[in-house]
Amino acid sequence: MNIDDVIYVICLLACIGAGNYVRKIRGNTQKKYISTALGILMVFIVSGWNSFHCFVSAILGAAAVIYVHPSKCHLAAFTVMFGYLAFFRLASKFGLPDPPGHINMIQMIMTLKIAGIGFEKTGSWKKLKEREKNEDVEISEYDSDIQSVNMMEIFHYSFNYIGILTGPYYRYRTYRDYFETSYSDYAPTIKTTLDRLKCAGLYCSLYLLGNYFWPLEYALTDEFYNQRSYFYRLMYVWPTFIIFRMRIYTGLTLSECVCTMAGFGAYPVEADVVNGGGPRKPYKHLTPDTYKGDYTFTAIVNTNVMDVEKCPTFRETMKHWNICVQYWLAVNIYKLFPSKKYRTVVTLLVSAYWHGFRPGHYFCLMGAPFYVHNEDMWDKLIRKEATGTKRKILDVLFWFFKFFCGSYLGTAFLLVTFEKIWRFYSSVYHTCYVAWIIFLVVGTIWTKQRKAQEKRKKRLEENKTERTEQDKKSQ
């Protein structure tokens, strides 16, 4: 780890430790202000005077949410926050110093939060308008309350120390519930945190060990390209991607620990909680005094690590990776984009833009749909109807190709620049891209042949049925 990573981890651990204190504060106003003060302190420690970006963007975004008409405030907040994200990343073009790397994640999470409030406010406003026309439309107290959200509340939400460094993304409603409900007093905060800390320790150990033997920097040296074989270079994507995953798992799991130690995001299981979105069923009647069931922290779970590692397909893996951010993209971009034909592409473009402007982000994120299309096609051709031993073998093969694809694309994400990416891909003769094209061509031909056979079979059955009916009529 470099010194910035060490400082970042120390800050995350400090936030985890602070949770035990914050959770026990009885006064909601005092708890809210202390949480915000801790968040501002963390931002300043990580980014120094560059933290002014966070304050400026928060004020501009909050103004868009508050002062633009509710029917359009989601578009205004989205434009302001994603526009400022571009300015933030191009700061050097405007004569400002380049912000340190870790403040980028802070700015990214803040962008989702404030733009998310705009989408929440517009969505609730539309429900309120529909209720005026149709009394059967269900609305909640929250739908009315969010219409009067003010600058100070958005500021508290944006700078709450819980999630300020690495996420997870959570809705404004989840933030409000933390101060208005007492679920955190009854949820298994200590046990859940300790369990996740053990996992974070394992991921961090694997990251440090892997990075010692297979550092990414080695893939940038002349020795790697001049003295290593084609097979060695191609296979190097495997340890590189494993190290990348362990690093991400460590950060995301520690960020979850910040939430669980504070009791943030705790809900009764019966509330049917979704990652990032919070409860989907009424839950205010489930008071801790009478509720005797279990509690869950599903609302703040970033990644289902074991599902990511075990599931056989890329499509399924994406459902378990960075779930809270995917929830934001699905609800605010995918479902709301007017054209069904282009909504997937637009959602991926927004995701790539949110991650950054570097070529590696687009090589990785925009290459994924191409592989998923291939995977879906071959799943229908050979895996979907397979059973028994054949299905198990195919699951292993699909799992292997899933991680090969992820490793290949993930290496581009890590190499960042076009020159480095092209040098590496050229050194392995663009193997995966060539293989995907071959699989695409073969799969497309096979699919057309199968459809043609099914049509012929269906036509024969229809002709047979017609002849049978004619024979019956002639008799």
Side-chain angles (χ1 to χ4, degrees):
M1 289 187 180
N2 58 41
I3 187 63
D4 287 339
D5 285 341
V6 172
I7 293 173
Y8 207 71
V9 170
I10 291 174
C11 287
L12 279 172
L13 293 174
C15 289
I16 295 171
N20 195 44
Y21 163 72
V22 172
R23 188 180 70 252
K24 296 175 182 177
I25 299 174
R26 295 297 93 188
N28 288 337
T29 300
Q30 182 184 6
K31 181 187 289 189
K32 185 180 295 184
Y33 275 89
I34 289 176
S35 297
T36 302
L38 286 173
I40 294 172
L41 177 63
M42 290 299 112
V43 172
F44 189 78
I45 290 174
V46 169
S47 55
W49 294 110
N50 286 286
S51 55
F52 83 89
H53 285 291
C54 299
F55 291 100
V56 172
S57 63
I59 292 170
L60 293 175
V65 173
I66 295 168
Y67 297 114
V68 176
H69 191 273
S71 63
K72 301 293 183 183
C73 70
H74 63 305
L75 297 176
F78 177 87
T79 302
V80 168
M81 295 309 298
F82 277 80
Y84 195 92
L85 192 60
F87 170 76
F88 164 79
R89 287 169 174 160
L90 299 173
S92 61
K93 305 293 184 182
F94 298 92
L96 298 173
D98 280 325
H102 287 305
I103 192 180
N104 183 54
M105 193 67 228
I106 297 173
Q107 191 65 45
M108 289 166 69
I109 293 297
M110 191 167 290
T111 297
L112 297 187
K113 278 185 173 182
I114 298 178
I117 293 184
F119 281 103
E120 286 188 67
K121 186 176 179 179
T122 298
S124 295
W125 178 82
K126 289 179 179 179
K127 288 171 64 177
L128 292 171
K129 287 298 180 182
E130 290 176 6
R131 178 62 181 270
E132 294 177 0
K133 301 176 182 178
N134 183 2
E135 293 184 356
D136 293 333
V137 175
E138 294 185 8
I139 61 171
S140 65
E141 181 183 345
Y142 177 74
D143 292 319
S144 300
D145 290 346
I146 196 172
Q147 301 306 312
S148 57
V149 65
N150 57 45
M151 183 75 72
M152 186 56 70
E153 275 300 299
I154 295 177
F155 186 85
H156 281 305
Y157 168 61
S158 303
F159 284 94
N160 181 28
Y161 85 96
I162 300 173
I164 190 71
L165 295 177
T166 319
Y169 165 77
Y170 48 82
R171 293 178 65 192
Y172 176 63
R173 184 179 69 173
T174 305
Y175 171 79
R176 280 199 3 158
D177 285 345
Y178 179 61
F179 297 100
E180 295 179 357
T181 65
S182 55
Y183 297 138
S184 61
D185 296 333
Y186 297 84
T189 56
I190 303 295
K191 181 182 181 303
T192 304
T193 303
L194 290 176
D195 289 343
R196 297 191 185 189
L197 279 175
K198 292 175 185 176
C199 293
L202 174 62
Y203 305 144
C204 186
S205 299
L206 292 173
Y207 162 70
L208 294 173
L209 185 65
N211 198 49
Y212 177 79
F213 287 105
W214 298 283
L216 176 66
E217 291 75 14
Y218 183 61
L220 306 176
T221 63
D222 291 334
E223 178 185 338
F224 180 79
Y225 291 100
N226 298 330
Q227 299 181 25
R228 294 295 185 176
S229 67
Y230 156 80
F231 184 76
Y232 181 92
R233 292 194 298 270
L234 183 62
M235 290 298 105
Y236 204 81
V237 300
W238 281 85
T240 298
F241 191 53
I242 291 172
I243 294 165
F244 172 73
R245 295 203 306 278
M246 294 306 119
R247 185 174 187 268
I248 297 299
Y249 290 161
T250 302
L252 294 182
T253 305
L254 287 176
S255 69
E256 291 175 12
C257 290
V258 175
C259 299
T260 57
M261 180 59 84
F264 188 94
Y267 286 100
V269 172
E270 281 77 358
D272 188 23
V273 182
V274 64
N275 305 95
R280 289 185 288 191
K281 294 181 179 179
Y283 58 96
K284 290 297 180 75
H285 65 286
L286 300 170
T287 58
D289 295 336
T290 58
Y291 178 73
K292 302 303 179 184
D294 295 327
Y295 290 88
T296 177
F297 285 96
T298 302
I300 52 84
V301 172
N302 272 310
T303 299
N304 295 323
V305 175
M306 292 310 299
D307 290 322
V308 170
E309 295 297 317
K310 291 194 303 182
C311 65
T313 65
F314 199 97
R315 178 178 290 280
E316 188 178 353
T317 299
M318 290 192 297
K319 295 178 182 178
H320 300 291
W321 177 268
N322 211 356
I323 315 171
C324 293
V325 171
Q326 292 216 50
Y327 166 84
W328 190 97
L329 290 168
V331 170
N332 299 322
I333 305 299
Y334 183 83
K335 291 183 179 179
L336 296 182
F337 194 75
S339 172
K340 292 183 178 180
K341 183 178 180 181
Y342 298 108
R343 58 175 42 166
T344 298
V345 174
V346 170
T347 302
L348 287 168
L349 282 172
V350 171
S351 177
Y353 176 98
W354 180 72
H355 279 88
F357 299 153
R358 296 172 176 176
H361 300 150
Y362 292 86
F363 265 93
C364 179
L365 296 173
M366 299 308 294
F370 183 73
Y371 176 81
V372 171
H373 173 73
N374 252 337
E375 182 183 70
D376 289 345
M377 180 168 55
W378 281 89
D379 180 69
K380 293 177 182 178
L381 287 171
I382 63 175
R383 178 175 172 267
K384 188 176 182 179
E385 298 179 359
T387 57
T389 303
K390 181 181 178 181
R391 176 58 180 253
K392 292 179 181 178
I393 293 173
L394 288 172
D395 283 346
V396 171
L397 288 173
F398 271 71
W399 177 90
F400 173 82
F401 285 115
K402 174 198 79 171
F403 270 124
F404 206 166
C405 164
S407 301
Y408 193 78
L409 295 174
T411 299
F413 191 94
L414 294 169
L415 292 175
V416 178
T417 67
F418 180 82
E419 292 76 13
K420 293 175 182 177
I421 296 167
W422 194 256
R423 185 184 186 191
F424 173 75
Y425 280 172
S426 297
S427 75
V428 295
Y429 308 108
H430 303 279
T431 297
C432 283
Y433 287 128
V434 172
W436 296 342
I437 292 172
I438 293 173
F439 274 100
L440 177 65
V441 172
V442 174
T444 301
I445 294 172
W446 191 356
T447 299
K448 289 182 178 179
Q449 290 177 343
R450 178 175 286 189
K451 287 181 178 180
Q453 290 176 352
E454 290 175 353
K455 287 182 179 179
R456 286 196 295 270
K457 183 179 180 180
K458 184 178 180 180
R459 198 178 300 116
L460 289 172
E461 290 177 353
E462 290 175 351
N463 292 337
K464 184 178 180 181
T465 302
E466 289 177 2
R467 286 196 298 269
T468 302
E469 291 177 354
Q470 290 175 359
D471 290 343
K472 288 181 179 179
K473 289 179 180 180
S474 62
Q475 292 175 359

